Amino acid sequence: MNSFALLFLVLGLGLIGWLTGRARAGRLIRAAPKRSHSRPGQHAAYVAMWTALPALLFLTVWSAISPALVRDAVLETPAAASLPSFGFQRDSILGEARMLADNPEAGAFNEEARAIAPVYGAAERRYSWIGSAATILLAFAGFAFAYSRVTPTFRARTRVERTVMLVLLIASLIAILTTLSIFVSLLIESARFFAVVPITDFLFGTHWSPQVISSTDPGESLGAVPLFWGTFFIGAVIAMIVAIPFGLMSAIYLTQYAAPRVRRWMKPILEVLAGVPTVVYGYFAALTVAPAIRDFAVMLGFQYASSESALAAGLVMGVMIIPFVSSMADDSIAAVPTAMRDGSFAMGATRSETIRRVLIPASLPGVVAGMLLAVSRAIGETMIVVMAASGAATITLNPFESATTVTKQIVDLLTGEAEFDSPKTLAAFALGLTLFVITFLLNIVALRVVKKYREAYE
Amino acid sequence: MQKRIRRRYAAERRFKFMGLAAVVLSAGFLAFLLVTMLSNGLAGFSRTEVALPIDFPAAKLDVTAKQLQNRGADLALAGAGLDEVVDKAATAAFGEQGIDIISDRAWTEVREALKSDPTLLSRKARIDVPVSQDVQNALDGGGKPAMRAIVSGMQAKGLFSNKFDFGFLTSADSTDPTNVGIWGALKGSLFTMLVTLLIAFPIGVLSAVYLEEYAPRNRWTDLIEVSINNLAAVPSIIFGLLGLAVFLSFLNLPRSASLVGGLTLALMIMPVIVIASRNAIKAVPPSIRDAALGVGASKVQVIFHHVLPLALPGILTGTIIGMARALGETAPLLMIGMRAFIAQPPEGLTDPATVLPVQIFLWSDQVSRGFVERTSAAIIVLLVFLLAMNALAIYLRNRFETRW
């Protein structure tokens, strides 16, 4: 029986447990209404819980360990004695045997696989049978145990609620688990990378060409400084030159000048800019913006203007970031008390003087934090640079030349045909770790800025 | 004095104008983007067809009208050499270049026409078949000069017609831009979103309930909060690396499968759902909880009978916005191998699949002119889906949100 069918069977048994538990509890409570502690629904939940949870838990564990058990069982049979004793070859033969056992029509590279396939199939069936039987037994045992405990005085509610709370706690721990597993997996792969390539070569080397990695000195062609520069140049310079003035000025206009009706319409329209998928921006940048910028550069007299210029990617990225800057600025300007604004007006200042001298300084922490978050967003942005920026790692100040970024290189490194253990693929994880740490720090700093420097008005 | 005031007022006007310009330019950029996509993409939904005269009795197809109504009709027609018949008809009708004028899948159109009307077998007929990419290019004013000459001659005779291309919505990826469709990618997206929703929604809501209603304030819950807030700001590509390292190389789940894509995206949007749900739960006034506790409800009853139903519109709004973000996401899915060329729509969660944004990315890399229109058409489909989801979120918020 496959695990999906089993899953539904267990859930069905749980439902039956719920119904019978409820019926029994209802009957008993009606017979002795004074002495009852919990509601019938709570007894029912208790029975259903005992029926389904242990069985599901077992099913999860079993589906994780049973492939290994099947493998060991196959290896112990005489048919497997002729297999190569260790390593990749044996694994690939076993893999094919499993495929053949599931689907006898499939072709196989290794003749040995065809010989063990029936053995493999038999072992798989045996273990699947054991697993199904144990799951169902566990479900019935749980049901019997819980059903026998349903009495009017039994405190089902306390137990059910304690379980619910446990489930809630586990759900919220998954967030930590995700963060932790991101960090750990990046760290492990990066550690393997830095065992081959010295960390100083990676962080301070200025030559990046992962296509040819010399086996004697792999660090020589894996210096990431050009990538860091390209990321900084595109994400933190060009994109921000677009996003900060536009975002800030539109926030100011919409909060201070625009009629409420205009504001009600324009604010969601600007927010649509953030909702457009990045792949659409990337396509737009590559198809429309980049050629236009190259023509413009040629007109200005740059002979070798690239059609994958840093400017094209940066400009489009900047437009994408406008709503982030604008909504953060909007919030922090709105948080400045009206009394300060009115005071400034009363002194005879014009609106623009009030905004520049009073509102902006008062809301500066929020605005700065918004900018930091925008930078962190921009340097982590992938699709626009993958589609519009180039793969050539150069250090340049000329926006019409090509530049590459960390995210673009991660995608390029991992989408080749490379095996998982080469320095090339591992380099992607080292780049990922760097990116993770930098965006993490930017976020922490942004939150600190808001917390520390925000003036508490009122 | 007057001069100074004039100067200050001029500065005021300049400043106001700059603000207006920023808003107008930003909105203008959005409009420009949408107009570019629309003007490129609408052509992608249609295809040019050419009227191809076929003399079926003369072709002597070895099939009977009865066979055409059976289930084996496709096989019978392929066996009878229908593709050669169509090629010959094209050569007869359009000269030497005939085969290059009609698309490679022209004969499948003829097959469908025969199946829907078996009487065609006994007479001459003109059937509209799709044209090849070369002809399409020539019609758009590009392509080879020789082809352009032929095409303009045929155009003068009025042989071409423009039709809505249903194949684009029902078929999967292909190497020929006249044949491609988005159904495969759409189905992959659907499967992926299903996994994402099933994982992210319950876990996200439950952890929000824990953090808002149960969590004591201590170092552990602070840690949970910090990690949720940071996860929301982690670049999406990092989640792709996580999926690659954990789901593919550690847990050995199948590559390119929508299951893995869904799991990866679920981790990505979980923080969005948690944050939205927490805000929605926080907005339920304490008086509701106090009243329920006052009449003897237990904590769990208060939460599941009163707080969650009241917070549900807010939770759903946040979930839909998170799902919209997952639907448009590309980068993490590239990392876990969903960029393979897949000509078959996936049948299950573990089949190799691709999703709509990745399909757009794959097509955008193609050099053939025909893919530009197809890419923009796929973008329009994606944007329509996103727009619908966001509209639903706004509707839910406006319709069901209670102001306390």
Side-chain angles (χ1 to χ4, degrees), chain A residues 359-449:
Chain A
L359 292 184
I360 301 259
S363 59
L364 202 58
V367 173
V368 170
M371 288 174 191
L372 288 178
L373 289 178
V375 170
S376 124
R377 172 99 191 171
I379 65 175
E381 171 45 45
T382 310
M383 288 323 288
I384 293 176
V385 285
V386 165
M387 293 165 88
S390 90
T394 43
I395 301 184
T396 174
L397 259 174
N398 179 355
F400 295 116
E401 271 186 45
S402 58
T404 192
T405 70
V406 171
T407 47
K408 159 100 178 154
Q409 289 302 319
I410 294 177
V411 172
D412 284 358
L413 288 172
L414 282 179
T415 45
E417 287 298 316
E419 66 277 28
F420 202 71
D421 282 342
S422 73
K424 205 173 146 184
T425 34
L426 291 178
F429 283 93
L431 288 176
L433 181 66
T434 324
L435 187 64
F436 181 69
V437 169
I438 289 173
T439 48
F440 193 82
L441 288 180
L442 275 174
N443 291 326
I444 300 257
V445 170
L447 290 182
R448 295 281 311 210
V449 165

Side-chain angles (χ1 to χ4, degrees), chain B residues 178-316:
Chain B
T178 59
N179 279 350
V180 297
I182 52 167
W183 174 238
L186 214 54
K187 205 171 168 190
S189 272
L190 229 57
F191 282 157
T192 310
M193 289 299 108
L194 186 73
V195 176
T196 306
L197 185 66
L198 286 183
I199 306 263
F201 180 69
I203 296 182
V205 174
L206 290 182
S207 68
V209 167
Y210 179 79
L211 290 177
E212 275 306 314
E213 299 286 332
Y214 280 103
R217 304 236 40 108
N218 61 26
R219 206 180 294 157
W220 280 102
T221 47
D222 279 354
L223 194 64
I224 296 179
E225 283 219 47
V226 169
S227 35
I228 286 176
N229 288 335
N230 272 307
L231 273 182
V234 167
S236 61
I237 192 170
I238 300 287
F239 287 97
L241 289 174
L242 173 75
L244 179 63
V246 174
F247 298 136
L248 291 188
S249 76
F250 184 65
L251 293 179
N252 271 322
L253 292 174
R255 237 182 130 72
S256 312
S258 27
L259 175 68
V260 180
L263 283 171
T264 310
L265 292 180
L267 293 183
M268 193 186 88
I269 67 162
M270 208 133 54
V272 179
I273 296 181
V274 173
I275 292 170
S277 308
R278 285 188 68 174
N279 288 335
I281 292 172
K282 218 181 282 179
V284 176
S287 58
I288 303 257
R289 294 183 186 84
D290 295 344
L293 287 171
V295 294
S298 71
K299 184 112 188 162
V300 170
Q301 283 170 329
V302 171
I303 292 168
F304 285 91
H305 295 180
H306 300 280
V307 176
L308 272 187
L310 289 172
L312 203 59
I315 294 176
L316 286 183

